Amino acid sequence: MKKSFAKKLIIASMTGILLSSTVLTACGGDDYTAEDLQDARARKARGEKLNREDSNMVEGFEKWKAKKDKYADY
């Protein structure tokens, strides 16, 4: 009886630790500022090679901007 309770407690603890680490990792994320985006766009305009994070940030912004402009009421 004690072994079964101990196993359940260990499994529940491990599941809790895994779940909390997943949530903390997801919430932490990458925080970019408008200045980071401007710097990356300026480097792209100068023809410099962007790292993956900057490339994804600029590409995501451009897609968002194109979608926003598509429905703009000018």
Side-chain angles (χ1 to χ4, degrees):
M1 183 99 164
K2 289 184 179 182
K3 286 184 180 181
S4 140
F5 178 73
K7 285 182 182 180
K8 289 179 184 177
L9 182 63
I10 290 172
I11 291 172
S13 298
M14 295 296 281
T15 304
I17 290 170
L18 180 63
L19 181 61
S20 64
S21 69
T22 303
V23 169
L24 289 174
T25 301
C27 292
D30 293 325
D31 294 332
Y32 296 107
T33 63
E35 187 176 339
D36 294 334
L37 177 60
Q38 286 179 331
D39 292 343
R41 290 180 73 201
R43 285 193 300 277
K44 182 180 178 185
R46 289 192 301 262
E48 294 179 23
K49 184 174 174 149
L50 299 178
N51 62 25
R52 183 179 295 199
E53 292 172 344
D54 288 347
S55 176
N56 289 340
M57 181 174 41
V58 170
E59 183 179 317
F61 173 77
E62 289 172 352
K63 285 181 181 178
W64 170 82
K65 184 71 172 158
K67 186 176 179 182
K68 182 177 175 237
D69 288 344
K70 180 179 179 182
Y71 299 106
D73 193 20
Y74 293 112

